[in-house]
Every structure is written in C-alpha cells, then in structure tokens.
C-alpha cells in the first residue's frame, strides 16, 4: 500500500511539498555575544534520515517511500565581536540530498546539491543583561531546489538571552523570518522559531547539553509555489561539547524530530568543529 501511495501523483506532490521544507538552515545561534575583537569560526556537518510521516493532525503514519530519504549538509559559520554590546554572524550553508528526495520531486535516480541562502545577522546585548534583540537578512542567492523557491531577500527579527552560572548555563532565542517578495500571509520563506540549549561543564573537558526547538514554516511545492500548507515540528537536541584544547571544541548533537504537523519525523547526527580566538 505504501508503494501505491508513493506512486500516486497527488500524494507524491504533497510529499514533495513537505520534504522540501523539512531541513531549514538556522542562521543565528543562541550563544552570548563575543568580546570585542574576538572571532569564532566553525564547520558544521549534519546527516538526517526520515522514519515517519506526520500529517496535518500531528499524527504518525509510515513514510510512503521505498527507503528512508536522507540529507547531508555542511555549514560554514563565522562570528566577530564588533564591540562590547554586539557581534556579527555569517552562515554559508551547503546541502546534498539523495535520490529518494529527488524522486519525490519527480527526478528519478538522481541526487542534487547546492547552496541555501547565505545569512548575515547581528546580535545586540542590552546593558550587560546577557540578552537583547537580533536582526539579520538572507541574500537572494542559492540553489532553488535547496531553498525551496526562487531565492529572494529575507529578513529576520527576534531576541536572545541566557543565564550562565559557574559550570552550567541555559541559552535561548526566538525569531521571526519573512520573505516579503512571496506576498502577504504566511508564505514560503516565512518562519517562526524558538529554541533553548542547556549545558553542564564537567571537569574532564566534557559538557553534556540538551535542547528543544519548535519552528513553523510556510512551504512551497517543487515548482516554488505556495499551496497554502505550513509545517510545524518539535525536535529534541541532546548531545555534548568536547573540549579539544584551549581554542577548539567539537560539538556533537543527535537531533530528533519527534512530533509535528505536515512534516517528517527525522533523526540524525550533527558535528561541529568550532574554534574560538580572543583578541
């Protein structure tokens, strides 16, 4: 029955809409701002595989695919502390998606790869509170199949904050991203997001971390048009941070989308090699 549903043209179009939207790139992080003149650079890689489908009523059913579609991606990220109350962040994301992803879009036996939109953003700290507003924009560049629609300018606004005490911390942010070119209403390129990450630094250079993320996104079909569908998902972000030396850390996470609406349940592995350099 699953294979029959998968080959059904209306069902496959719906699946294509949903799978195109399942792995958006997060441009901003929730960490505190850097010191003036400090720099942080990282290379992040992630692998994700689907295991279930989630319909419009937040209910599970088996993903109607010959095998679990998978996606691999890498992000290059750079941060710079501009002054005592702000820093600048840039993210360049690249994605590769396997033949099953392509098949859901009607491209048999082929994979595709390309860049998502490049993001530039800034965070501002208010009166040394460890919190403040943030703003950024996305350049109208990238592979249309990866972005999910013809790349246009996008804008992000929100807030961030955190509490750090001795060897433990909790950081979070909330953002709203819009793509004005895609007209009014909640459209492809529009996204709401809220997340937090908490950690505990141990003496052995290991810090267990755990986070949660909710996001809501307007999505498009394989031709880049809106069909009035939006996707929501909630995922757990367990992992750890391993201190390699004074400057370098390895961030390991196992993201799991365990519930949502009009999306796929996914599990994966995320690795980030991050270097921090003081002025």
């Amino acid at each position: 029955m699953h294979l029959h549903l998968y080959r059904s043209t209306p069902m496959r179009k719906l699946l294509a809409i949903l799978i195109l939207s399942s792995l958006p790139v997060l441009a901003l992080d929730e960490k505190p701002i850097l010191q003036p003149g400090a720099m942080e650079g990282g290379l992040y890689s992630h692998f994700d595989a689907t295991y279930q489908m989630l319909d419009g009523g937040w209910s599970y059913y088996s993903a109607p695919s010959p095998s679990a579609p998978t996606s691999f991606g890498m992000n290059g990220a750079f941060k710079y502390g501009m002054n005592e109350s702000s820093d600048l962040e840039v993210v360049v994301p690249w994605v590769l998606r396997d033949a099953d992803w392509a098949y859901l879009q009607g491209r048999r036996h082929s994979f595709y790869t390309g860049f998502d939109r490049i993001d530039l953003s800034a965070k501002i700290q208010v009166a040394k509170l460890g919190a403040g507003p943030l703003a950024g924009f996305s350049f109208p560049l990238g592979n249309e199949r990866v972005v999910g629609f013809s790349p246009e300018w996008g804008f992000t606004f929100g807030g961030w904050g955190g509490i750090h005490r001795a060897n433990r911390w909790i950081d979070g942010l909330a953002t709203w991203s819009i793509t004005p070119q895609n007209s009014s209403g909640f459209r492809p390129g529009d996204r709401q997001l809220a997340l937090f990450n908490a950690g505990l630094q141990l003496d052995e250079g290991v810090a267990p971390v755990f986070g949660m993320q909710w996001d809501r996104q307007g999505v498009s079909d394989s031709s880049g048009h809106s069909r009035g569908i939006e996707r929501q998902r909630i995922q757990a972000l367990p992992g750890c941070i391993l201190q390699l030396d004074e400057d370098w850390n390895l961030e390991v996470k196992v993201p799991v989308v365990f519930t949502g609406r009009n999306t796929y349940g996914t599990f994966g592995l995320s690795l980030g090699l991050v270097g921090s350099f003081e002025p």
Side-chain angles (χ1 to χ4, degrees), residues 205-206 241-251 272-274:
V206 178
I241 300 174
L242 307 176
Q243 185 175 357
L244 304 180
D245 59 28
E246 292 184 356
D247 297 325
W248 294 91
N249 292 327
L250 179 65
E251 299 181 2
L273 183 63
V274 183

Side-chain angles (χ1 to χ4, degrees), residues 249-271:
N249 292 327
L250 179 65
E251 299 181 2
V252 182
K253 290 187 177 181
V254 183
V256 178
V257 176
F258 61 91
T259 188
R261 178 173 180 263
N262 290 329
T263 190
Y264 274 84
T266 64
F267 62 91
L269 176 65
S270 174
L271 301 174

Side-chain angles (χ1 to χ4, degrees), residues 1-13 15 64-66 103-104 108:
M1 180 178 68
H2 291 163
L3 189 58
H4 173 73
L5 286 173
Y6 180 72
R7 289 176 174 171
S8 163
T9 299
M11 177 60 71
R12 203 168 78 186
K13 287 182 177 179
L15 293 173
S65 170
Y103 184 58
L104 288 178
R108 294 177 181 243

Side-chain angles (χ1 to χ4, degrees), residues 173-190:
L173 64 78
T175 61
W176 190 315
S177 302
I178 60 173
T179 301
Q181 188 67 24
N182 287 341
S183 74
S184 61
F186 205 71
R187 299 292 183 178
D190 297 344

Side-chain angles (χ1 to χ4, degrees), residues 84-141:
E84 293 183 354
S85 60
S86 65
D87 69 15
L88 188 68
E89 306 178 20
V90 180
V91 175
V92 182
W94 172 85
V95 171
L96 182 151
R97 290 172 178 161
D98 74 1
D100 283 333
W101 289 73
Y103 184 58
L104 288 178
Q105 297 175 270
R107 292 185 288 271
R108 294 177 181 243
H109 309 300
S110 65
F111 67 90
Y112 66 89
T113 184
F115 287 94
D116 206 328
R117 290 188 294 180
I118 298 172
D119 295 326
L120 175 68
S121 55
K123 290 191 297 192
I124 299 173
Q125 179 172 267
V126 177
K128 297 183 179 181
L129 294 176
L134 57 86
F137 59 89
S138 302
F139 291 91
L141 304 170

